[in-house]
Amino acid sequence: MKEVQLKRLALKNFKGLKNFEFETNGTTRIYGDNATGKTTLVDAFTWLLFGKDSTGKKDFSVKTFDNENRVIHKIEHEVEGTFSINGDIMTLRRVLKEKWVTKRGTSEPELTGHETIFFWNDVPMKAGEYQRKVDDIILEYTFKLLTSPFYFNSLKWQDRRNILTGIAGDVSDNEIADTREDFSILIDSLGDKTLDEYKKELSAKKKKLKDELKLIPARIDELVHNTPVAHNWEKIEAEIETVKKSIATIDEQLQDVSKVSQRYYDKIQKRQSEIQRLKSQISDKEFKGRKKFKQQLDEKTDAISTAKKAIEKVTNRSREDAEEIKRLQGRINEYAKEQELLRQAWIEENEKEIKFSDDEFLCPTCKRPFEAGDIEAKKVIMTQNFNDDKAAILKDINKQGAAITPRMEELANKIKVIESTNYQAQIEQHEAVMREWENVHLKTVQAILNDDIDYQNLKQQLGAFEKEPEIEKPVLGDNTELKKEKSGLESNLDVLKKELALRDQIEASEKRKVELLEKEKTYAAELSELEQTEFTIEEFTRTKIDMLDTRINGLFGGVKFRLFDTQLNGGLVECCDTLINGVPWQDANNAARINSGIEIINVLSKHYGEIAPMFIDNAEGITDIADTAAQRIELYVSEPDKTLRIA
């Protein structure tokens, strides 16, 4: 069992408490008038651990205000708590600071935000590390359950129920199924569905069956109302046979006239078909003639176009070659100029002679003239060097000039090759081809068709058919009265057939009536079976209630829990209402609610294996607080105490 005790709590500039500190030793009583800060102590405790007030809100103000309700800036807001966890002492501290920054160009600092600083045993920590330390002491959800007698009953009933079944252990459907055979059959029929889903399925099926059962009597009444009265069917059948025979006699008389008429129309049809065949073949021949004319026209047009393109290509190539000759001749001229410059350079270099200066025969150190013999020797050397250099330069000029000549010859040869091409002859050749095609005379479409013997034969055959006289229409007798008599008989036959059809309608109605009565029996049986299943589910649920109620309420003394509520229709719905000596928790007095909350905390502490400090607000209304192993911090409203007093 982990036992957490609060040993000391210190507040600095926290929600109006500028500097307040108290230490605990077992049960601690804190007295104060309204608005003196009792709730602030609880807020400080929860803010230190979880960054929230006692109601679970994060966005609440911890700052201190002056007498004019203005925030006092540039002060730190701090809560520090010392805890004992199974005898080990640990200190937590949370500090909220304002961040002030003086921006460039201004002299006054501005508030730009806040930062929270965390300490564990005076060691600075990041928020995540700090929260992990707190969670190691006690998780927030468990803390709320174990520190406030009111928190459990502030939860939604579903959450309260889940906590209780988590403590006592839920009653499984299989446990209940083992108690009765019909329960076992019920559970086996669920498949993958839950009991609630199965109940909804049964309810939907029942509604559908009831709706169907309501409709069946109306359907039978409508069927009886719409069923026609029976007739003398044998008499009607005999009249039908008599009328059919009369119609057959008239048909034989009309058939003779119809055959003559049919032969006439067959001849007309045959003649029209033959004419249509000839016209189709003639149209096909004409299409082929137009196609042949277009082919020869396309051939002529393509040949002329090809010749024109060839002439244009040769002309362009001739123009390009003329430009190339100009370019090559320009290069030859440049080479000639270059040779002339080299020739002049050679003459100038060849005419150069050595000249001596008196300064060349002086000592570079003392400036005295050399001896005569030395001067002559030096002149010989200088002359030899001059002549060697001159010979080398002349040789290089000759080499450069000799290299230019083959280049000029190569360019001249290229010009000769280009000039040897007879472009005019090529153009004249293509022009001759073009003139030849232009002189070709095309055969007209009519000329093509005139040469087609089959086409001419087809035209003659069509002309012969069109010249034939019209086929004479045969003279037929007047059959108007026969047709009129037949029409009257057919109308009478239709009436008799409709009357006879009523027999089938009556038989179908009787068959449908029997089907509806059978369905009514089947639906009633299915509805009864569904209602029996629903009754079994209710019995199953009541058994589960009893087992779950016994299991959960057996853990408590004066506090009990109503886990199911009976509706007006006798159905059961899940709930989780806290009862204090039979009185609903919300209707009980404050003392009873606090003591019941302490009893619930005692059971939860035992289940979770943790004991945490318990804050009891409005403790002045309780004469006898329930026993608990948890440390109690009791808050009393005391009018004489205008500031908080610890006792």
Side-chain angles (χ1 to χ4, degrees), residues 13 48 79 86 142 156 175 194 200 203 208 456 592 645:
N13 298 319
L48 171 66
V79 177
N86 289 347
T142 309
K156 294 188 295 185
E175 288 181 70
T194 64
K200 291 178 182 177
S203 178
K208 185 177 180 181
Q456 297 301 324
R645 175 172 60 90

Side-chain angles (χ1 to χ4, degrees), residues 475-497:
V475 179
L476 303 173
D478 187 3
N479 56 8
T480 304
E481 289 299 325
L482 287 173
K483 290 182 177 179
K484 185 176 180 181
E485 183 181 354
K486 180 181 177 181
S487 177
L489 289 170
E490 287 176 339
S491 298
N492 188 27
L493 181 63
D494 289 340
V495 172
L496 291 171
K497 285 182 177 179

Side-chain angles (χ1 to χ4, degrees), residues 89-105:
I89 303 301
M90 181 180 67
T91 301
L92 298 174
R93 178 155 51 103
R94 185 188 291 254
V95 181
L96 178 68
K97 295 177 64 175
E98 294 179 340
K99 296 172 71 174
W100 292 82
V101 175
T102 302
K103 296 183 179 179
R104 181 180 297 177

Side-chain angles (χ1 to χ4, degrees), residues 358-365 367-370 378:
D358 293 339
D359 293 338
E360 292 178 311
F361 304 106
L362 296 177
C363 177
T365 304
K367 301 299 181 181
R368 288 178 59 189
F370 293 148
K378 187 171 183 180

Side-chain angles (χ1 to χ4, degrees), residues 35-54:
T36 55
K38 297 186 297 299
T39 304
T40 298
L41 296 179
V42 186
D43 289 341
F45 184 62
T46 56
W47 183 74
L48 171 66
L49 295 174
F50 307 110
K52 302 175 184 178
D53 68 3
S54 55

Side-chain angles (χ1 to χ4, degrees), residues 550-569:
T550 301
R551 185 172 293 183
I552 290 176
N553 287 317
L555 300 173
F556 297 89
V559 180
K560 299 296 179 185
F561 298 95
R562 181 170 55 202
L563 303 174
F564 293 88
D565 190 19
T566 304
Q567 296 180 310
L568 292 176
N569 61 2

Side-chain angles (χ1 to χ4, degrees), residues 15 27-43 54-55 146-151 585 589-598 601 613-626 631-638 644:
K15 290 183 65 176
T27 299
T28 300
R29 295 178 175 84
I30 302 176
Y31 297 87
D33 197 4
N34 290 325
T36 55
K38 297 186 297 299
T39 304
T40 298
L41 296 179
V42 186
D43 289 341
S54 55
T55 64
L146 301 184
T147 58
S148 171
F150 293 94
Y151 184 73
W585 185 86
N589 59 45
N590 192 57
R593 284 189 288 181
I594 289 175
N595 280 332
S596 67
I598 292 174
I601 288 175
M614 186 187 305
F615 283 84
I616 302 175
D617 201 3
N618 300 118
E620 72 282 350
I622 312 173
T623 56
D624 186 15
I625 297 177
Q631 176 190 16
R632 295 203 310 263
I633 300 173
E634 302 169 0
L635 306 177
Y636 292 83
V637 176
S638 173
L644 295 177

